[in-house]
């Protein structure tokens, strides 16, 4: 636990600021509504037994996950493009600005090497493939979102980090200058230059890298650019915040929502596919990009179930953005068609 990758708990002035947050009570950050660790009727002993001893089918693909490699270093300056790296990591170039969200390039979603390795074919990008990043957005500090090895390797490429309260302690501990770090509570805004604004909003989740839980803040982002409005949900169970965000900021050109690593046992912190579709409707999204799948095994469902199930449930009601890893998503093209690339992969 003393290794650098575990980060550092907020202290000093940062901790004083955290204690002033209306979302920090009884020594922890709290969700808007009661959020149980496990759904009623489930017990931690049963959940842990399943994780350790029960065999579930097709949790990892046997075949290689397909991908293409878009050259991010030489994108046309006027192109509005999103490139997904699997799970919840993606790059966006919009109106001349470059954003990187929750990058994980180490091939592992755990602090213990080799314990949660990425699927074959999903690690085609490295930090060296990233161009200079104007804004690194971090939704929370779990290992499958805030990856120590990646963050260290990107240090000289990142101009500004935007994260929730307390998460900046990790970055400062890892050598990022404090002037590069912007930490925000829910329901705040950051006026960027050239007509860009980022708004922070709630998510229904939790945080923590060590044994202390909820000492840093998890959040979602609304990105308003001169031409587009995008919602980045981070990890979240379904709750009323989606409708409230949709009413306040919607409609959205694109909603990027957590759809994967779910289970009825922990439904409060990871939405089920039917709830993801409901959240997209609440947000008044024109297109939905379901993420948090296809790279790491963090739940018991088949690896391809999240994309398969949401496609079946959607029935064409909202255009789904389902690129293969590395494929260019053209943010100005609402008619772009995507294949169901997971079909036929064992």
């Amino acid at each position: 636990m003393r290794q650098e990758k575990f980060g550092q708990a907020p202290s000093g002035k940062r901790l004083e600021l955290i204690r002033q947050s209306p979302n920090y009570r009884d020594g922890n950050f709290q969700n808007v509504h009661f959020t149980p660790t496990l759904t009623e009727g489930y017990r931690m002993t049963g959940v842990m037994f399943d994780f350790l001893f029960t065999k579930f089918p097709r949790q990892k693909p046997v075949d290689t996950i397909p991908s293409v490699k878009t050259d991010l270093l030489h994108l046309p300056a006027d192109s509005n493009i999103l490139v997904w790296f699997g799970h919840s990591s993606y790059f966006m170039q919009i109106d001349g600005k470059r954003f990187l969200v929750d990058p994980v390039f180490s091939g592992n979603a755990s602090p213990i090497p080799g314990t949660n390795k990425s699927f074959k074919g999903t690690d085609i990008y490295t930090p060296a493939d990233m161009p200079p990043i104007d804004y690194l957005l971090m939704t929370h500090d779990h290992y499958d979102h805030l990856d120590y090895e990646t963050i260290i390797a990107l240090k000289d490429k990142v101009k500004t980090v935007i994260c929730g309260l307390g998460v900046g302690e990790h970055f400062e501990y890892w050598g990022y200058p404090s002037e590069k770090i912007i930490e925000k509570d829910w329901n705040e805004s950051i006026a960027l230059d050239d007509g860009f604004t980022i708004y922070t909003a709630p998510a229904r989740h939790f945080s923590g890298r060590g044994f202390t839980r909820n000492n840093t803040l998890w959040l979602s982002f609304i990105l308003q650019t001169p031409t587009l409005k995008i919602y980045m949900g981070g990890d979240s169970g379904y709750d009323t915040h989606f409708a409230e965000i949709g009413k306040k900021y919607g409609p959205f050109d694109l909603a990027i929502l957590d759809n994967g690593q779910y289970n009825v046992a922990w439904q409060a912190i990871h939405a089920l596919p039917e709830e993801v579709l409901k959240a997209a409707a609440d947000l008044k999204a024109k297109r939905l990009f379901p993420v948090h799948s296809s790279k790491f095994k963090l739940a018991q469902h088949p690896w391809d179930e999240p994309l398969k199930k949401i496609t079946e449930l959607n029935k064409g009601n909202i255009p789904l953005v389902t690129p293969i890893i590395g494929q260019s998503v053209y943010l100005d093209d609402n008619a772009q068609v995507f294949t169901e690339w997971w079909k036929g992969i064992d």
Side-chain angles (χ1 to χ4, degrees), residues 115-249:
T115 56
N116 201 317
K117 296 167 70 173
S118 53
F119 300 157
K120 287 189 298 183
T122 61
D123 284 324
I124 64 168
Y125 282 92
T126 71
D129 296 314
M130 297 300 110
I133 300 298
D134 294 298
Y135 300 101
L136 173 62
L137 306 182
M138 300 303 313
T139 63
H140 62 298
D141 67 1
H142 286 157
Y143 300 102
D144 59 321
H145 293 257
L146 178 56
D147 181 51
Y148 167 75
E149 286 82 3
T150 299
I151 296 305
I152 292 297
L154 289 172
K155 192 182 302 182
D156 294 333
K157 293 190 175 188
V158 173
K159 296 178 183 178
T160 302
V161 177
I162 300 177
C163 57
L165 291 176
V167 177
E169 189 81 35
H170 301 310
F171 281 88
E172 199 166 337
Y173 177 56
W174 295 334
Y176 278 66
S178 58
E179 60 269 20
K180 277 190 172 185
I181 305 167
I182 299 175
E183 292 175 86
K184 289 294 183 180
D185 205 339
W186 294 338
N187 304 312
E188 294 194 289
S189 64
I190 308 163
L192 312 179
D193 55 2
D194 300 325
F196 286 76
T197 303
I198 285 182
Y199 302 92
T200 57
R204 193 184 190 196
H205 200 55
F206 67 106
S207 71
R209 290 179 74 81
F211 296 118
T212 302
R213 188 161 167 158
N214 297 349
N215 63 336
T216 60
L217 185 63
W218 54 100
L219 40 67
S220 61
F221 294 106
I222 295 99
L223 173 61
Q224 175 71 70
T225 84
T227 59
L228 293 167
K229 190 182 291 182
I230 296 175
Y231 178 73
M232 294 163 276
D235 282 1
S236 182
Y238 183 78
D239 204 355
T240 58
H241 64 282
F242 291 115
E244 292 165 2
I245 292 167
K247 183 178 180 180
K248 185 175 182 180
Y249 298 105

Side-chain angles (χ1 to χ4, degrees), residues 275-342:
E275 295 174 315
V276 175
L277 290 169
K278 189 175 180 182
D282 289 349
L283 291 163
K284 304 174 186 175
K286 297 175 185 176
R287 290 200 291 175
L288 167 61
F289 182 10
V291 297
H292 211 241
S293 71
S294 310
K295 188 166 185 173
F296 298 112
K297 181 189 78 67
L298 300 171
Q300 297 154 359
H301 56 64
W303 75 267
D304 56 352
E305 182 185 285
L307 290 172
K308 182 179 178 181
K309 194 166 186 179
I310 201 167
T311 302
E312 292 172 350
L313 291 170
N314 181 46
K315 298 178 180 177
N317 289 328
I318 180 174
L320 294 180
V321 174
T322 57
I324 65 174
I325 289 173
Q327 179 182 358
S328 292
V329 176
Y330 299 103
L331 295 171
D332 296 324
D333 183 6
N334 287 340
Q336 184 178 1
V337 177
F338 300 91
T339 63
E340 296 180 11
W341 59 264
W342 53 93

Side-chain angles (χ1 to χ4, degrees), residues 11 22 60 66 87 105 121 129 149 220 242 250 256 303 337 345-346:
S11 61
K60 294 182 178 181
H87 201 61
F105 298 134
D129 296 314
E149 286 82 3
S220 61
F242 291 115
I256 305 170
W303 75 267
V337 177
I345 299 176
D346 190 11

